Amino acid sequence: MPSTDAADDLGLLSPGLAGSPVEAATGDAAYVRAMLDAEAALTRAQAALGLAPAAAAQAVTAAAAETARYDVRDLALRARSGGNPVIPLVADLTAAVAEHNRQAAAHVHRGATSQDILDTAAMLVAARALEPVLADLGRAAGALARLAAEHRDTPIAGRTLTQHAVPTTFGLKAAGWRSLVLDAHERLAAVRAKLPAQLGGAAGTLAAFHAFAEADGSTADPDPGPDLGLRLLAGYAAETGLAEPTLPWHTLRTPVADLAGALAFTAGALGKLAADVLLMSRTEIGELGESSGGGSSAMPHKANPVRATLITAAARQVPALAAVLYAGLAAEDERPAGAWHAEWQPLRQALRLVGGAARDAAELTEGLRVHPNRMRGNLDATDGLVISERLAAVLAALIGRGEARQALSRASRRVVEQGMGLDEALRQEPGIADALRQEPGIVGALARDRLRELTDPTQYAGSAGALVDRALRRSDTAQNPS
């Protein structure tokens, strides 16, 4: 049996995110990789401005690439003394550089503060983690587009406050799910494009970089001027591949808050899809089914909607995590105590949960089994009562609103109490047939046919088909990014 450290979190209690690409992209090793990338990018950006020798940039980049030499557990334990993992990592990176180039070691982390590196690493991790999330959302949007088109006119019972309301179509429901998935994709893609690097030095002024340039004359520009820090910030952002921030954002946490909001929206959007699938796949409803339901430890007959269940679990957790991240906006001073530290785990967990939910949503929608016969059977479960809205409108025009409502109320009671269809119950209402004969072209037995038509739930979908068509014309950037 493989041995594991007692402190390892291997996903035993998080099956929704276990094994997902985002789990790997947000692990401790991924954060160490991102911090090393940030350190190497900083030295390269300084070298490009003449603030460090080119050999130093090469040495730091090479040492940062040797990720196997950095012990994650050891870094975590040593992080307790300074409160963050950057401090021990810088010590180890400096030692690694010094093994090959002692002079270059002096340029490791030069001028930066720990938050510069960890914030930049967090943005790198987020940017990398969002790639598979966006791809999975694209898969789900494509699958939902196909379902909406195929079932454009498939009738189902619309439900409000858990009860049958009026008929709708499964195509319209699927088009609505797709709309939310596309909304989520757009928000995440927009946030990802703006994820910024972080560089400000001790208090966000970039002063240390000016001081080093002045002290050792290392700048290639004889008159670096007050914009030296700005040029370094631009070069650093370019080296990391992240956006260039207008200001250092040590306590201006808009990037984290925006990311939190987009993640919470995505979890909720996928949660809506999952909630509907859970309802519609109930045994007594049976309108939908997952392609391969999960088993039960006690009941061999069960095929549980596991993917929808895991998505729902994520949707219930991410908003709370986002609340912690939004609270970081109230960070004090130029560098906060505790507010910044409180973000680390909630941000990672939110990314992981959304990553797992997006993967499950793609698999769920691509394999969703649709049962139109059960949809139609459930639509008929109220013996025509689901169509009472239409009858109220038609009969009100013939016999008046008050009389029509009373007739429908009496007929509805007969449907419930005697188990007859609504059309039959209405035929027992005095004056209904006579009223229908007042419509142009309706005579004799045609009144009975007209009543049957009016109580047919498949003939009362309103603009559902047109709405599906319009929804499917929406540009699918999730599947076809520009």
Side-chain angles (χ1 to χ4, degrees):
M1 179 177 179
S3 61
T4 59
D5 190 298
D8 284 348
D9 180 357
L10 302 179
L12 184 66
L13 302 183
S14 305
L17 58 85
S20 71
V22 177
E23 182 188 37
T26 55
D28 284 351
Y31 268 86
V32 170
R33 169 74 272 160
M35 288 188 286
L36 291 168
D37 289 342
E39 291 286 1
L42 177 60
T43 310
R44 292 196 303 271
Q46 290 177 308
L49 291 178
L51 302 176
Q58 294 169 1
V60 174
T61 298
E66 299 174 1
T67 55
R69 71 178 294 154
Y70 304 96
D71 187 319
V72 175
R73 180 63 176 169
D74 180 60
L75 290 171
L77 294 173
R78 290 158 59 204
R80 286 187 52 78
S81 62
N84 74 75
V86 177
I87 296 171
L89 182 66
V90 168
D92 290 355
L93 177 60
T94 301
V97 172
E99 290 178 8
H100 303 285
N101 186 330
R102 186 169 297 278
Q103 287 73 33
H107 293 277
V108 173
H109 196 70
R110 197 181 197 200
T113 190
S114 295
Q115 191 170 352
D116 289 333
I117 300 304
L118 193 50
D119 274 348
T120 298
M123 295 298 99
L124 286 171
V125 166
R128 294 163 182 173
L130 288 179
E131 282 299 305
V133 174
L134 292 170
D136 284 335
L137 291 176
R139 288 172 55 197
L144 290 170
R146 293 188 291 274
L147 285 171
E150 181 180 353
H151 294 282
R152 175 187 186 273
D153 302 309
T154 300
I156 60 171
R159 297 177 174 93
T160 62
L161 301 181
T162 75
Q163 305 298 299
H164 282 202
V166 296
T168 182
T169 70
F170 180 62
L172 184 57
K173 185 176 285 288
W177 296 340
R178 174 179 178 268
S179 178
L180 284 174
V181 170
L182 291 178
D183 289 344
H185 188 282
E186 288 179 1
R187 283 161 172 75
L188 285 179
V191 166
R192 184 188 180 281
K194 295 191 297 183
L195 292 175
Q198 172 76 286
L199 189 63
T205 65
L206 299 163
F209 301 106
H210 290 265
F212 281 118
E214 181 181 1
D216 58 21
S218 59
T219 179
D221 188 340
D223 181 21
D227 68 334
L228 172 66
L230 302 185
R231 287 186 286 140
L232 178 60
L233 181 56
Y236 178 57
E239 287 288 345
T240 63
L242 296 168
E244 179 187 350
T246 302
L247 297 170
W249 45 279
H250 294 140
T251 51
L252 308 174
R253 307 305 284 176
T254 301
V256 176
D258 282 349
L259 179 56
L263 291 170
F265 180 92
T266 301
L270 298 179
K272 159 59 178 172
L273 184 162
D276 283 347
V277 171
L278 289 174
L279 170 69
M280 297 171 73
S281 62
R282 287 175 181 267
T283 304
E284 62 272 24
I285 296 176
E287 295 173 346
L288 296 176
E290 293 194 8
S291 58
S292 55
S296 164
S297 63
M299 296 165 284
H301 69 281
K302 293 192 73 179
N304 296 319
V306 173
R307 292 183 183 86
T309 296
L310 295 177
I311 295 170
T312 299
R316 292 177 183 272
Q317 295 177 75
V318 177
L321 298 170
V324 176
L325 298 175
Y326 273 115
L329 287 166
E332 74 280 1
D333 298 327
E334 280 62 55
R335 295 275 305 289
W340 170 54
H341 306 72
E343 293 175 352
W344 304 344
Q345 282 285 33
L347 178 58
R348 169 158 67 180
Q349 188 68 359
L351 284 166
R352 287 180 158 188
L353 286 166
V354 170
R359 174 193 60 179
D360 288 333
E363 294 177 356
L364 170 63
T365 54
E366 288 177 342
L368 195 64
R369 293 183 287 116
V370 182
H371 305 300
N373 290 338
R374 289 298 296 268
M375 292 176 176
R376 177 56 200 268
N378 290 332
L379 190 57
D380 292 334
T382 58
D383 294 312
L385 293 181
V386 74
I387 210 73
S388 62
E389 179 187 69
R390 182 187 192 186
L391 285 161
V394 172
L395 294 177
L398 297 174
I399 61 176
R401 182 177 180 182
E403 188 174 343
R405 186 174 186 85
Q406 292 175 13
L408 278 169
S409 295
R410 290 191 298 268
S412 296
R413 283 196 296 272
R414 280 194 291 274
V415 169
V416 174
E417 294 170 0
Q418 301 176 29
M420 64 179 63
L422 182 59
D423 61 335
E424 181 182 354
L426 284 171
R427 286 199 301 272
Q428 297 181 17
E429 281 295 312
I432 293 294
D434 291 340
L436 288 173
R437 291 190 188 99
Q438 297 175 29
E439 288 191 309
I442 302 296
V443 295
L446 293 178
R448 177 177 300 216
D449 294 338
R450 173 61 170 151
L451 195 56
R452 188 176 296 113
E453 174 195 337
L454 288 173
T455 56
D456 181 356
T458 68
Q459 301 302 310
Y460 191 58
S463 296
L467 289 169
V468 171
D469 294 340
R470 181 163 71 173
L472 292 180
R473 287 195 293 271
R474 176 179 176 181
S475 176
D476 195 345
T477 54
Q479 286 187 280
N480 303 293
S482 57

